[in-house]
Structure formats: structure tokens, C-alpha cells
Amino acid sequence: MEDKNTTIDLQLQNYLPWHKARLKFLNLFIVSLIRNRNISYSKNAVTLNNRETCTNLRRIQRFFTEFSID
């Protein structure tokens, strides 16, 4: 799975001028959306990564508060 994530990261770098931490988060969030087939922040926070759900939920909320995606 790590190789696929790296490939997605490289593709995102071509289109978004963000720093690596934001791109990695977006990569994890996209994969989480696909796995869960749901757009609920709280459901995606569970499968985002190995951190606590409340930490992931806050991370998702902060991302969408601070960044706009066209």
C-alpha cells in the first residue's frame, strides 16, 4: 500500500502547490473516502490512519477550514 500512496503523492504534487504534509493528508483522505464510500468526516476519521479518531476528526476539520479546493 505504501507504493500506491507514494504514486498518488507524486501525482498530487504535479497539480497542487502545497507542502508535503498537506498532500499526504489529502492522499490519506482520498483513500479513506474510497474505502468507506462515505463522505462523513467522523466515519472517515476512523480509517484515516492509526491515530485516535478524535485527533483525525479535528485534522479533517482543520484542513477544510484552512484550505479551499477549486
Side-chain angles (χ1 to χ4, degrees):
M1 187 74 175
E2 193 66 35
D3 293 331
K4 292 179 185 177
N5 289 344
T6 305
T7 303
I8 295 170
D9 285 341
L10 292 174
Q11 290 298 317
L12 288 173
Q13 285 177 355
N14 292 332
Y15 297 101
L16 300 171
W18 299 344
H19 58 83
K20 192 171 182 177
R22 293 292 175 198
L23 292 173
K24 184 171 180 151
F25 166 79
L26 186 60
N27 177 12
L28 291 172
F29 189 68
I30 290 170
V31 171
S32 178
L33 287 170
I34 293 169
R35 283 183 183 161
N36 290 328
R37 299 181 199 165
N38 196 325
I39 58 170
S40 171
Y41 290 171
S42 58
K43 291 184 180 180
N44 285 306
V46 174
T47 60
L48 191 62
N49 60 17
N50 295 334
R51 295 184 184 164
E52 291 186 28
T53 303
C54 61
T55 304
N56 285 335
L57 180 59
R58 184 65 188 126
R59 186 177 181 196
I60 293 169
Q61 291 170 339
R62 222 178 14 249
F63 176 81
F64 284 106
T65 299
E66 296 174 2
F67 288 87
S68 62
I69 302 174
D70 295 336

